Amino acid sequence: VCKPRMAEYKYILYERIDHTAVVRLNRPEKLNAMNLDVIAELSSVMDTISSDDSIKAVIITGVGEKAFCAGADIEYMSKINPLEAEQYAIKGHASMSKIENLNKPVIAAVNGYALGGGCELALASDIRIASKNAMLGQPEVNLGICPGWGGTQRLARIVGVAKAKELIFTGKRVSAEEALSIGLVNKVVELPKLMEEALAMANEIAKNSALAVRVSKMLINRGIESDINTGLGLEVWGWSLCFSHIDRTERMTRFLQKK
Ligand code: HXC
């Protein structure tokens, strides 16, 4: 068996806490803005996590107390031509899609600004927990561009078309509390409690059958893109697949023996 080699990262801190992989964007002097190297490293760490069965959940957060991620790198974007911009969008999409389709649940612990590409990174995650100081938004139009790492698609699917249009057209930032009220984040906690809360949720998930969680994530993701009958058909397959795993036998037996 070929074990994945842990790469050395320049812009990412990678840590294992029990069954949870913690990925921290580590470019605090630029508020964790994502240049091409950050995107490539994020993509690479997702590959490592994907192939490790002992990891049951993932937390993505930012180093520092100010920013989760302030978006794509504006200095870089100020200099590029349309073809380079296309590559930047494509590479960002690939990285975000890896997170969205990862075979484990991903929690974004939003510890401050999550703007533009930073908000899109949170949107590609399955669950968002924000600290009280977090500010989220898609300010791209203010820079003469539209969201380019999935914001026009995922934001509308998460908060609805009308709110997504309001946020994207105005470019305004919303507080953690407002984000909670529109369903953009799942929960708001004090900043010092953020990692504790994210880890508690990760642990709660990790107690369950990894296959059942994985199948559920896949079914929700595929289903939301499909008509209801396609989604329901997939659910029958996913559900039946769970019966091929020892987890089901053991967990159901344990339940019955407790009685
Ligand atoms: C590059 C960035 C950056 C970014 C901040 N910095 N955001 N560098 N790209 N997105 C840098 C600043 O230049 C500065 O560097 C340092 O980080 C600290 O930022 P300040 O602006 O001095 O901090 P503050 O005054 O507290 O303001 C915080 C802020 C502001 C409100 C978050 O930084 C901001 O508005 N940032 C840009 C947010 C944004 O528009 N994001 C969307 C980008 S477009 P120095 O070296 O001067 O100290 C995008 C497109 C995605 O994401 C799709 C791509 C295909």
Side-chain angles (χ1 to χ4, degrees):
V1 182
C2 181
K3 281 208 154 188
R5 197 170 54 86
M6 187 53 73
E8 283 290 318
Y9 299 112
K10 184 172 174 204
Y11 294 118
I12 279 178
L13 296 177
Y14 177 70
E15 185 189 2
R16 275 290 299 274
I17 302 177
D18 300 323
H19 289 293
T20 302
V22 180
V23 175
R24 291 182 168 88
L25 299 186
N26 185 24
R27 202 188 172 206
E29 70 287 356
K30 295 289 178 189
L31 304 185
N32 301 321
M34 284 190 286
N35 56 25
L36 279 168
D37 290 336
V38 181
I39 292 167
E41 290 189 4
L42 198 55
S43 205
S44 157
V45 79
M46 287 304 141
D47 289 340
T48 303
I49 291 169
S50 162
S51 57
D52 186 338
D53 281 346
S54 68
I55 298 174
K56 312 276 189 208
V58 182
I59 296 172
I60 300 179
T61 190
V63 166
E65 299 200 333
K66 200 170 163 185
F68 172 71
C69 170
D73 194 311
I74 300 173
E75 200 184 335
Y76 174 68
M77 288 188 292
S78 71
K79 297 181 195 130
I80 58 179
N81 65 37
L83 287 177
E84 289 164 327
E86 183 189 28
Q87 282 306 307
Y88 201 31
I90 288 172
K91 286 179 177 156
H93 273 186
S95 196
M96 304 297 162
S97 293
K98 250 182 208 178
I99 293 167
E100 183 170 53
N101 296 316
L102 191 75
N103 53 4
K104 304 154 207 295
V106 181
I107 300 169
V110 181
N111 58 308
Y113 289 115
L115 301 175
C119 189
E120 290 168 312
L121 174 61
L123 293 170
S125 306
D126 299 302
I127 292 162
R128 288 155 287 283
I129 305 179
S131 56
K132 281 208 168 133
N133 64 319
M135 298 287 287
L136 298 94
Q138 298 285 164
E140 284 92 341
V141 292
N142 187 35
L143 294 168
I145 55 176
C146 65
W149 286 339
T152 61
Q153 304 307 304
R154 294 193 180 99
L155 186 62
R157 282 164 171 79
I158 290 169
V159 302
V161 172
K163 266 293 165 195
K165 284 179 175 169
E166 181 188 334
L167 288 180
I168 291 173
F169 297 173
T170 63
K172 72 176 180 189
R173 303 197 283 251
V174 295
S175 66
E177 288 299 340
E178 194 176 344
L180 181 67
S181 75
I182 61 172
L184 177 51
V185 301
N186 296 60
K187 196 171 187 177
V188 178
V189 298
E190 298 287 346
L191 180 61
K193 292 249 175 219
L194 180 62
M195 281 311 287
E196 198 181 301
E197 285 283 339
L199 280 165
M201 194 182 283
N203 285 335
E204 214 176 322
I205 294 169
K207 278 191 229 142
N208 296 321
S209 156
L211 176 74
V213 171
R214 175 181 175 177
V215 167
S216 301
K217 171 170 174 173
M218 190 274 281
L219 291 173
I220 295 169
N221 281 359
R222 292 289 82 79
I224 208 80
E225 294 159 5
S226 320
D227 63 278
I228 183 117
N229 287 321
T230 305
L232 291 172
L234 286 172
E235 190 184 72
V236 172
W237 281 354
W239 189 77
S240 323
L241 180 70
C242 296
F243 286 73
S244 67
H245 202 282
I246 186 81
D247 257 2
R248 187 264 322 192
T249 323
E250 287 179 354
R251 284 167 182 268
M252 289 190 182
T253 307
R254 218 178 299 146
F255 173 84
L256 293 170
Q257 281 170 350
K258 264 195 287 183
K259 290 210 148 193

